[in-house]
Amino acid sequence: MEQDRSFGHHHAKEYEVNNGVKGLPEEVKRRRYGMCLTRISVTKVMCLTCIYVTKVMCLTRISVTKVMCLTRISVTKLNHLVVRSLVENDVNAIGLPAAGFWVTDTGKISRHGVTGIMELLDNGFVPVLHGDCVLDISKGCHILSGDVIIKTLCKEHLVNRVVFLSDVTGVYDKPPSETDAKHISKICVGENGKIMADISTTSSPYDVTGGMLLKICTAMDIVTGSGGKTKVYVTKVGSGSVNPICLGLDTGQLDHTTFTEIIHQT
């Protein structure tokens, strides 16, 4: 990938992005790629601008507004790196922030951006979302987790599969750092939303969105809300189970100690 030279204009012109992504297959493929490169470039300059403006405008005091800006700089920087890596590996990825599209009210979803996600998918792009700091009607701002975003998406549309990637191989009956922790290969969720397992969790001191407990609760809500039509898994980043699960392959031949499946029990 070439080095950014004009933050969007160069790629947009080279790949004729303004001509749209309709037409002959090869032209569509080329312009989609160009659109992804353009987005990478303009989001990079947006991040740099936010850093500068935040420093200049907020030097005299620490405010909630400044903290929100700093939080967004951090998450959009990571999203930029992920999207760039995907595009370099021939995935038509588009970073899609929640801020400006999603709004909460006392932490509950008031307005979502699911329509934008579906429009990108329908046009051959892979939207890459992330937890974000969004506007909240009652308290000004709120940290919207990626878990809540995926649960909302599953509520609005039928999703075949949700995969939560963690730093451990699934869910344990207690924090996996404890020597007697036991791996749970399946968590059955009943119609009443209760699970047939005794689980104790901890979260990182820096995680303000609920940690593993929220992921488990989100997974439970997804499987019960879909009546079991959406399959939900928890596995470890880089494990041998990630690719087969994400591709929807048969998990029967996988080592069941490398992932946890959350299933709906009728």
Side-chain angles (χ1 to χ4, degrees):
M1 187 180 296
E2 293 185 12
Q3 184 178 359
D4 296 326
R5 283 184 272 178
S6 57
F7 293 113
H9 293 282
H10 167 68
H11 292 128
K13 182 177 180 180
E14 180 181 352
Y15 292 92
E16 301 175 322
V17 173
N18 212 32
N19 289 337
V21 288
K22 307 292 183 182
L24 297 175
E26 284 303 313
E27 292 178 349
V28 170
K29 182 179 179 181
R30 184 170 179 273
R31 289 171 190 162
R32 278 186 183 142
Y33 180 67
M35 181 174 171
C36 294
L37 293 182
T38 303
R39 285 278 303 153
I40 289 173
S41 184
V42 296
T43 53
K44 180 178 180 180
V45 73
M46 179 184 71
C47 184
L48 294 174
T49 303
C50 285
I51 293 173
Y52 175 76
V53 171
T54 300
K55 286 181 177 179
V56 171
M57 300 292 289
C58 306
L59 284 176
T60 58
R61 61 191 179 94
I62 297 293
S63 65
V64 173
T65 305
K66 179 180 179 181
V67 173
M68 180 174 175
C69 293
L70 293 174
T71 302
R72 294 221 66 253
I73 288 170
S74 181
V75 296
T76 53
K77 182 178 181 180
L78 176 59
N79 183 261
H80 176 85
L81 295 173
V82 171
V83 169
R84 188 181 187 95
S85 179
L86 287 170
V87 173
E88 288 175 345
N89 286 277
D90 298 324
V91 177
N92 291 323
I94 295 287
L96 192 62
F101 300 95
W102 296 65
V103 177
T104 60
D105 189 356
T106 321
K108 304 295 183 182
I109 299 294
S110 174
R111 187 181 77 222
H112 61 68
V114 172
T115 299
I117 297 172
M118 302 310 299
E119 287 174 346
L120 284 174
L121 288 170
D122 290 342
N123 282 279
F125 296 100
V126 178
V128 182
L129 293 90
H130 54 83
D132 208 343
C133 195
V134 301
L135 294 177
D136 187 279
I137 295 171
S138 298
K139 59 181 185 176
C141 67
H142 177 73
I143 301 297
L144 179 67
S145 76
D147 298 332
V148 173
I149 291 174
I150 188 61
K151 183 169 73 171
T152 306
L153 181 58
C154 291
K155 181 180 178 181
E156 297 295 324
H157 291 272
L158 178 59
V159 175
N160 292 327
R161 189 166 46 260
V162 174
V163 184
F164 292 98
L165 299 180
S166 177
D167 58 349
V168 292
T169 54
V171 179
Y172 290 75
D173 62 347
K174 60 183 66 176
S177 58
E178 298 186 18
T179 55
D180 58 342
K182 296 180 181 179
H183 179 268
I184 301 173
S185 60
K186 281 189 178 181
I187 296 177
C188 299
V189 185
E191 291 288 351
N192 58 2
K194 293 186 177 181
I195 61 175
M196 308 298 291
D198 184 19
I199 303 171
S200 173
T201 64
T202 61
S203 64
S204 163
Y206 302 106
D207 191 343
V208 296
T209 58
M212 181 59 81
L213 180 59
L214 179 60
K215 285 179 172 51
I216 296 171
C217 292
T218 300
M220 291 165 53
D221 289 343
I222 290 172
V223 295
T224 54
S226 67
K229 294 179 181 178
T230 301
K231 296 183 178 181
V232 182
Y233 302 88
V234 182
T235 189
K236 183 179 181 178
V237 175
S239 73
S241 297
V242 172
N243 285 351
I245 290 175
C246 288
L247 293 172
L249 303 179
D250 181 17
T251 59
Q253 304 301 315
L254 299 177
D255 181 356
H256 283 204
T257 64
T258 61
F259 66 93
T260 297
E261 182 179 5
I262 294 87
I263 62 175
H264 183 245
Q265 185 172 348
T266 57

